[in-house]
Amino acid sequence: MDIFSAAVMLFLIMDPLGNLPIFASILRHIDPKKRRRVLIRELIFALVIMLAFLYAGEAILSFLNLRSESVSIAGGIILFLIAIRMIFPQPGGVVGLAAGEEPFIVPMAIPLMAGPSILAALILLAHTDSSRMGDWTIALVSAWGASAVILMFYKLFTRMLGEKGLTAVERLMGMVLVMISVQMFLDGVSNYMKTAS
C-alpha cells in the first residue's frame, strides 16, 4: 500500500462527513466563543492518540503474540461492520452530554475521530511494514488534516451539502470502505494460507 492509498483508507475510516452532524450537535450547546478552541483541542488529542497507536502498534502485537494475518482479517471484519453502519445508519443519539457541557477527549477525540477501527488500522499498517513508519505517519497526518479542515468548517459543509447530501456522501464512503475491508480480509486469508502450507 502506498502513502496515498493509506491516507485515503484512513480518511474514509475517520469519516469526517459522517461525523459532521454529531460534531455540530455537540458544539451547538457550547459557548460560541469557545467552540473553535474546543474543536482544535479535541482534534489534537485525537492525532496524539492515533500517533501513539501507530508507533506502539508493533509492540502491542508482539506483547499479545498476534500474527499480521489475524490482525488483517480482524481489521477487515471491523471495517466491514463500520462500513455497513455508514450505509445503513442506526437510529438514536450517539453522545450523552448535558447541554452546555464541554467535551474533553470523549466523545469527540475518542471514539468519533480516533475510534477502534482507525486504531486497529494503524496497528495493522505498523505491523505490515515497520520500515515505512515515515510513510504511515505522512498518510495519517494527511488524513487527519483533511478531516480536521472539514470539521473546522462544519457549518459551511452542512449548509453546502444539506442533510440529504451528507447522508449520500457518507453512504458512498461506506461503499468504498466495504471494498477496502473485503480486500483486507482476503489479503489476510491469502497470506495465512501461504504461511500455513
Side-chain angles (χ1 to χ4, degrees):
M1 187 178 285
D2 59 21
I3 295 174
F4 180 74
S5 300
V8 169
M9 180 188 77
L10 295 173
F11 176 80
L12 290 173
I13 300 168
M14 285 181 202
D15 188 23
L17 290 170
N19 284 332
L20 270 178
I22 305 166
F23 272 60
S25 68
I26 296 169
L27 294 169
R28 191 180 300 128
H29 302 292
I30 297 172
D31 182 357
K33 293 176 184 175
K34 292 183 179 178
R35 284 177 192 168
R36 190 164 290 272
R37 178 178 57 80
V38 168
L39 186 52
I40 291 169
R41 183 190 68 206
E42 297 303 305
L43 289 170
I44 291 169
F45 277 143
L47 179 62
V48 169
I49 291 158
M50 289 187 285
L51 284 169
F53 267 79
L54 178 64
Y55 282 90
E58 190 67 27
I60 292 167
L61 287 182
S62 299
F63 177 73
L64 296 174
N65 198 26
L66 292 172
R67 292 170 56 174
S68 60
E69 292 85 5
S70 61
V71 179
S72 182
I73 292 168
I77 293 168
I78 290 169
L79 291 189
F80 183 80
L81 294 173
I82 294 291
I84 292 297
R85 281 184 156 185
M86 287 167 71
I87 299 168
F88 305 106
Q90 301 294 313
V94 180
V95 296
L97 290 172
E101 187 181 342
E102 205 175 286
F104 187 76
I105 300 180
V106 178
M108 291 173 79
I110 301 173
L112 293 177
M113 273 292 281
S117 50
I118 191 81
L119 300 180
L122 290 169
I123 291 173
L124 177 63
L125 282 176
H127 190 77
T128 303
D129 193 347
S130 57
S131 64
R132 297 179 61 199
M133 293 305 286
D135 290 352
W136 306 143
T137 303
I138 292 167
L140 171 59
V141 173
S142 301
W144 173 84
S147 300
V149 167
I150 290 171
L151 293 170
M152 288 297 289
F153 295 99
Y154 70 95
K155 286 183 179 176
L156 176 66
F157 280 96
T158 306
R159 276 201 305 268
M160 276 171 53
L161 295 170
E163 201 169 314
K164 287 186 178 179
L166 284 173
T167 303
V169 171
E170 185 179 10
R171 288 181 182 177
L172 180 62
M173 286 180 159
M175 285 298 296
V176 175
L177 202 55
V178 163
M179 292 183 274
I180 292 172
S181 66
V182 169
Q183 189 62 54
M184 279 176 68
F185 180 85
L186 292 175
D187 288 345
V189 171
S190 173
N191 291 335
Y192 179 77
M193 296 297 282
K194 284 175 190 171
T195 54
S197 57

